């Protein structure tokens, strides 16, 4: 029987399903482990239809995962959201798997205060402080500052604060969302206050090069953010054509960061800001990028980030580590965000008449939005290709501006 890979849940963009398909192409058997299959009802590509086997386990509870894994043999354990990555790595360690990331390193990137602490005293340092939401505290960083949950995801609760009124509003909001439901049950207990890092926002899609024993830059993604004070990611463009000297410097600096954090053996979506020649890390996610970026890398360059993730986790040297095809094609995604919170019953998507609009879709409806100020409010999207950034941006704007939500 073929070796088995355990897949701990997937995200709604379907990265786990894409990884299972890649694993099967590589000759592995796919075992999908989930809290509930009901969470995936309505997905175009249901994970149960791709997996060779499905098991129902509380994937938030590491003790139940360890009990489930006891006595099993697996080539890798993989997760696709920030809320299960550490559990997957602990289970892999429990099973004696030597490849893939260590849970010690994943904790360093999962918790924003730990990442900042590990980078303290280096050229990558950003001033920060950590506070318990149950305690009384003041802004000890100054203005402007960023307030965010210490272990959040998807820009939930992230806010730029220009003064004390903004700061008090941001803290009050996080306290009101103590039991925010994101991917699953998730309690916000601590926040971090960080200095605002200037510059334009990008992300680096990087994979561990097993053969070369170093991090390889697959490409740089440009991120388009909502107006202040919130930071909703409204779109992405891949690959963003940075000048070669700047891209080389970005690669060098980000490799140094990942080395300081002890991370290897996986793929990362690393958000950073570029201000002239100054590069500062914002956040690191040890998984393929969300926000449909994995689809952009395939559409633009034929690169499957989930396949590279599988190969890194099982310790295989990838043949072409992000080289992809040599075309000048770019791919972008733009999201539709409603103007106000509430229950959206349906979405009217315009007909696709442009052949370079390569994909469109919506979340499962109806959907209830408590806020439109985080990534959970991105309820529809379009993906397009083109030969330049302005061309792709204009194509997406024309289409997404015609999307309508109905209450």
């Amino acid at each position: 029987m073929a070796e088995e890979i355990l897949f701990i849940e997937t995200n709604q963009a379907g990265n786990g399903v894409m990884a299972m398909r890649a694993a099967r192409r590589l000759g592995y058997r796919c075992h999908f482990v989930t809290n509930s299959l009901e969470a995936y009802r309505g997905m175009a590509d249901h994970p149960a239809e791709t997996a060779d086997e499905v098991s129902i386990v509380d994937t938030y509870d590491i003790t139940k995962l360890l009990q489930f894994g006891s006595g099993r043999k697996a080539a890798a354990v993989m997760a696709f959201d920030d809320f299960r990555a550490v559990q997957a790595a602990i289970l892999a360690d429990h099973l004696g798997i030597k490849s893939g990331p260590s849970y010690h390193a994943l904790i360093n990137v999962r918790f924003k205060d730990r990442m900042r602490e590990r980078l303290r005293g280096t050229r990558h340092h950003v001033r920060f402080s950590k506070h318990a939401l149950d305690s009384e505290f003041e802004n000890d960083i100054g203005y402007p500052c960023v307030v965010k949950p210490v272990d959040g995801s998807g820009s939930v609760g992230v806010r730029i604060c220009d003064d004390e009124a903004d700061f008090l509003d941001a803290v009050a909001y996080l306290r009101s969302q103590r039991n925010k439901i994101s991917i699953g049950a998730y309690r916000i207990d601590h926040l971090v206050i960080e200095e605002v890092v200037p510059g334009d926002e990008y992300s680096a899609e990087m994979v561990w090069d097993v053969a070369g024993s170093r991090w390889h830059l697959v490409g740089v993604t440009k991120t388009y953010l909502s107006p202040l004070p919130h930071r909703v990611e409204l779109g992405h463009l891949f690959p963003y054509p940075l000048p070669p000297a700047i891209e080389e410097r970005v690669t060098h600096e980000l490799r140094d960061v990942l080395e300081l954090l002890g991370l290897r053996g996986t793929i990362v979506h690393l958000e950073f800001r570029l201000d002239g020649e100054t590069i500062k890390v914002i956040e690191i996610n040890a998984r393929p990028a969300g926000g449909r970026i994995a689809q952009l890398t395939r559409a633009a360059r034929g690169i499957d980030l989930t396949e590279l993730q599988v190969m890194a986790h099982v310790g295989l040297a990838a043949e072409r580590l992000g080289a992809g095809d040599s075309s000048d094609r770019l791919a972008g995604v733009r999201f539709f965000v409603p103007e106000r919170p509430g229950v959206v019953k349906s979405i009217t998507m315009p007909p696709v008449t442009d052949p370079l609009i390569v994909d469109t879709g919506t979340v499962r409806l109806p959907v209830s939005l408590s806020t439109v100020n985080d990534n959970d409010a991105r309820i529809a999207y379009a993906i397009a290709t083109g030969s330049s950034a302005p061309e792709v941006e204009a194509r997406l704007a024309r289409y997404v501006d015609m999307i309508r939500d109905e209450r």
Side-chain angles (χ1 to χ4, degrees), residues 6 18 29 35 89 92 103 120 163 170 186 195 226 276 306 338 355 357:
L6 300 177
M18 290 187 285
R29 186 173 180 273
N35 266 335
Y103 62 85
R120 189 192 294 274
D163 53 36
Y186 159 54
E195 64 176 315
S226 64
T306 61
I357 299 283

Side-chain angles (χ1 to χ4, degrees), residues 241-248:
L242 290 176
I246 296 296
E247 184 168 299
E248 183 178 351

Side-chain angles (χ1 to χ4, degrees), residues 16-71:
V17 174
M18 290 187 285
M20 281 192 272
R21 289 174 179 155
R24 296 182 82 170
R25 291 195 299 270
L26 293 168
Y28 291 94
R29 186 173 180 273
C30 302
H31 191 153
F32 184 63
V33 184
T34 179
N35 266 335
S36 169
L37 288 174
E38 178 63 20
Y40 302 100
R41 181 174 57 86
M43 278 186 65
D45 294 317
H46 198 287
E49 295 174 0
T50 303
D52 297 293
E53 184 177 352
V54 176
S55 292
I56 307 299
V57 181
D58 184 348
T59 53
Y60 288 106
D61 189 332
I62 186 58
T63 59
K64 292 180 180 177
L65 279 172
L66 293 176
Q67 190 277 334
F68 163 77
S70 293

Side-chain angles (χ1 to χ4, degrees), residues 169-182:
D169 283 347
V171 173
Y173 175 77
L174 287 179
R175 284 174 172 156
S176 74
Q177 299 291 303
R178 295 295 299 275
N179 296 303
K180 167 78 178 177
I181 301 300
S182 183

Side-chain angles (χ1 to χ4, degrees), residues 11-15 18 80 82 153-154 203 205 221-224 233-238 269 271 285 287-297 305 331-335 359 375 378 380-383 396:
N11 62 348
Q12 290 297 318
N15 286 354
M18 290 187 285
F80 303 89
D82 300 317
S153 183
S203 68
E205 319 312 328
T221 305
K222 170 67 176 171
T223 298
Y224 300 89
E233 295 175 0
L234 298 178
H236 305 284
L237 182 76
F238 178 92
H269 169 68
E271 298 172 3
N285 306 113
R287 52 167 171 75
R292 306 284 168 180
I293 292 173
Q295 290 172 256
L296 303 187
T297 64
L305 293 180
V333 61
R334 181 169 167 181
F335 297 100
D359 189 27
N375 289 349
R378 305 181 306 185
Y381 70 91
I383 293 175
L396 289 170

